[in-house]
Amino acid sequence: MKNILLIMPYGSVGGMERLALTFYDYYKSIGYTVKAVKIIKLPTDIINFGEDELFMSRLDFAQMTKYNRALFYLKAPILLRKIIKANKITHSIAFGDMANMFSSLTFTNEFKIASIHALKSVEFSNKTYLNKLFKLGFKSSYFYFDKVVCISKAIKKDLIENCEFKFKNKLEVIYNPHNINLILDKSTEEIDDHELIYFRNKTILFLGRLSLQKAPWHLIKAFSLLATKNKDISLLFVGDGDPLVENYCKELIHNYALDERVVFLGRKANPYKYLTKATVLALSSHYEGTPNVIVESIALGVPMVVSNCTDGIIELMSNKDFSGGDELIYTESGIITPNFFEGSLGLPSTYDITKKEVVFSNSLLEVLTNENYKIILNQNKSDLLSKFDLKKVSENYLQEID
């Protein structure tokens, strides 16, 4: 019998949390005992695990003093160790840098799995104290993991070539699993009338955290170019995140007089019912791993426009091989545009529109007005989804590396 512990940062509707819930549901369905621990549990949590849920703190990091935050970082591995011992855990899976760090320092004997979900060399360009600590782990405490899962080939390559990752024999590429039937089922849930009106026109949808990583301001500026000529197009944001990013985006929207054309719906327990009604999904990220929302969009037959923030994007959106250097990449599921990232993370200092944002805008218009993108996606859907089989991926996570 396997006793599994899932370790995640929050209970929001982010990709890692949705992934943890997918694992939880599957492992429970085949008879395993599963516990889920949140580093931070908040009253606004969307992802919940009922009686199997544990947590380390009810205070978010922003609510802690610097001293208390540092103390929490020191205590967290000890708290996690107690949870592992008390529940006789045989396998643990950590999601993301902080969960990985705490898990690596428990010094427990379960089959210990870490997972890395983004292009770390880009993230580490923001030289915060925590990022320096996380990178140090790549040369030290990651020794204690039995397996380190990279959710794309691009992430594995980046760790080895750009991040001084020491324990190469522990790395394994496993794509995120997806319960396609569940996504399809949840997408049929009705939307309240007061929200349904936002879909009366052609709709561009952003689904995810409002963060420096996701760089949603590029999408807003690209939309501003469309909005002046196309009155029947709306932009919707589903998700919440960094207040600084959200406030900047709202200032930008006001600057371009788009207040009536852009809607922030906030975080949603069931994002699929919104995604299925969108005309196009848009992601303008500075860096990613393999965003779950791309697979979810494929499953629901919604074409997309995505910035080329990592080679992992191509791995999701196509089964073909593409050589680098093309300004635009046309895939079975939509268009990939040039990467917006130019060496540093942070909010822009001006509202000026860049050439890459013009290209992104033109690509959005192309997908919005050409029904062939949706037709081609639906023709290739089964092949594109085959690599994300829930049963196969969930079992691969728990297997030893050959």
Side-chain angles (χ1 to χ4, degrees):
M1 172 60 71
K2 291 182 173 65
N3 294 342
I4 299 173
L5 180 67
L6 307 174
I7 310 162
M8 71 210 73
Y10 287 97
S12 66
V13 75
M16 288 189 292
E17 289 83 2
R18 296 208 306 277
L19 176 60
L21 183 60
T22 298
F23 277 127
Y24 173 82
D25 288 337
Y26 176 77
Y27 290 138
K28 290 278 286 188
S29 74
I30 60 174
Y32 294 164
T33 299
V34 189
K35 298 292 182 181
V37 59
K38 297 172 181 175
I39 296 172
I40 305 294
K41 177 181 174 65
L42 299 174
T44 55
D45 282 355
I46 293 293
I47 303 296
N48 294 292
F49 301 88
E51 62 183 11
D52 293 317
E53 180 172 301
L54 306 162
F55 64 92
M56 296 189 203
S57 173
R58 286 189 180 274
L59 282 182
D60 203 348
F61 292 116
Q63 298 172 293
M64 300 178 189
T65 65
K66 288 183 178 180
Y67 172 80
N68 286 337
R69 195 180 310 162
L71 187 62
F72 177 79
Y73 293 151
L74 292 173
K75 289 171 56 179
I78 300 170
L79 295 172
L80 193 55
R81 177 184 173 88
K82 290 180 179 178
I83 290 170
I84 291 168
K85 292 289 187 180
N87 291 279
K88 297 181 171 61
I89 298 300
T90 62
H91 298 72
S92 65
I93 306 174
F95 298 90
D97 293 324
M98 186 165 291
N100 291 344
M101 179 180 70
F102 295 154
S103 177
S104 72
L105 297 172
T106 61
F107 303 110
T108 45
N109 296 322
E110 82 279 9
F111 188 79
K112 195 179 289 289
I113 305 153
S115 60
I116 297 180
H117 298 257
L119 212 62
K120 304 316 294 186
S121 64
V122 177
E123 191 167 299
F124 290 162
S125 68
N126 189 5
K127 300 185 184 301
T128 64
Y129 171 78
L130 275 181
N131 279 344
K132 291 177 182 178
L133 193 62
F134 294 152
K135 188 174 182 180
L136 178 62
F138 290 170
K139 296 181 284 186
S140 55
S141 64
Y142 273 65
F143 168 81
Y144 296 105
F145 286 113
D146 296 282
K147 176 187 288 191
V148 179
V149 172
C150 307
I151 63 170
S152 75
K153 296 174 186 176
I155 288 176
K156 179 179 179 179
K157 181 180 179 183
D158 181 60
L159 287 174
I160 294 171
E161 295 183 357
N162 303 318
C163 299
E164 303 175 63
F165 192 91
K166 185 176 179 180
F167 313 105
K168 301 174 186 177
N169 62 313
K170 297 180 185 289
L171 296 174
E172 182 174 350
V173 176
I174 305 178
Y175 293 106
N176 283 343
H178 292 267
N179 189 334
I180 302 302
N181 289 333
L182 180 64
I183 292 169
L184 294 173
D185 182 58
K186 286 192 171 184
S187 73
T188 62
E189 182 181 309
E190 291 187 3
I191 296 175
D192 292 340
D193 288 343
H194 74 278
E195 292 181 330
L196 191 60
I197 61 172
Y198 300 131
F199 295 91
R200 66 184 183 275
N201 297 324
K202 292 182 178 180
T203 306
I204 301 167
L205 184 73
F206 171 98
L207 174 57
R209 284 183 58 79
L210 296 166
S211 64
L212 294 177
Q213 171 189 346
K214 301 288 185 182
W217 53 85
H218 295 302
L219 171 56
I220 293 168
K221 291 199 279 183
F223 177 71
S224 73
L225 298 174
L226 290 178
T228 58
K229 300 178 182 178
N230 300 273
K231 303 300 182 184
D232 63 340
I233 300 173
S234 300
L235 173 59
L236 301 184
F237 287 88
V238 174
D240 60 6
D242 186 338
L244 290 176
V245 174
E246 185 172 350
N247 289 338
Y248 177 83
C249 288
K250 289 180 178 178
E251 290 172 9
L252 192 63
I253 289 164
H254 185 69
N255 179 74
Y256 287 117
L258 296 172
D259 303 78
E260 302 300 320
R261 306 283 298 278
V262 183
V263 178
F264 291 85
L265 294 177
R267 66 165 68 181
K268 297 292 182 180
N270 177 9
Y272 309 118
K273 63 181 180 180
Y274 302 95
L275 178 55
T276 195
K277 294 192 180 317
T279 314
V280 58
L281 173 78
L283 290 179
S284 56
S285 301
H286 279 180
Y287 66 94
E288 289 279 3
T290 53
N292 291 330
V293 69
I294 288 180
V295 181
E296 294 158 356
S297 194
I298 291 171
L300 296 174
V302 179
M304 61 202 83
V305 176
V306 179
S307 61
N308 193 11
C309 50
T310 170
D311 289 344
I313 298 294
I314 299 175
E315 293 176 50
L316 295 185
M317 291 180 63
S318 179
N319 284 329
K320 300 175 183 176
D321 292 325
F322 290 91
S323 58
D326 292 336
E327 185 175 80
L328 294 175
I329 301 173
Y330 294 89
T331 74
E332 302 95 305
S333 51
I335 301 175
I336 302 174
T337 72
N339 189 1
F340 286 113
F341 181 70
E342 295 184 346
S344 63
L345 296 174
L347 296 172
S349 57
T350 74
Y351 293 156
D352 295 344
I353 294 175
T354 67
K355 291 180 180 179
K356 290 180 180 179
E357 288 160 353
V358 173
V359 171
F360 198 83
S361 180
N362 291 339
S363 299
L364 285 171
L365 183 61
E366 169 73 11
V367 177
L368 284 164
T369 56
N370 189 337
E371 188 67 20
N372 283 335
Y373 286 95
K374 190 175 184 70
I375 293 170
I376 292 170
L377 171 54
N378 282 297
Q379 289 172 344
N380 290 276
K381 182 189 298 186
S382 295
D383 287 341
L384 289 167
L385 294 175
S386 61
K387 65 173 76 80
F388 311 108
D389 179 72
L390 175 59
K391 180 176 183 293
K392 179 180 177 181
V393 171
S394 299
E395 291 174 353
N396 283 350
Y397 256 74
L398 303 183
Q399 293 173 355
E400 296 183 10
I401 295 180
D402 295 334

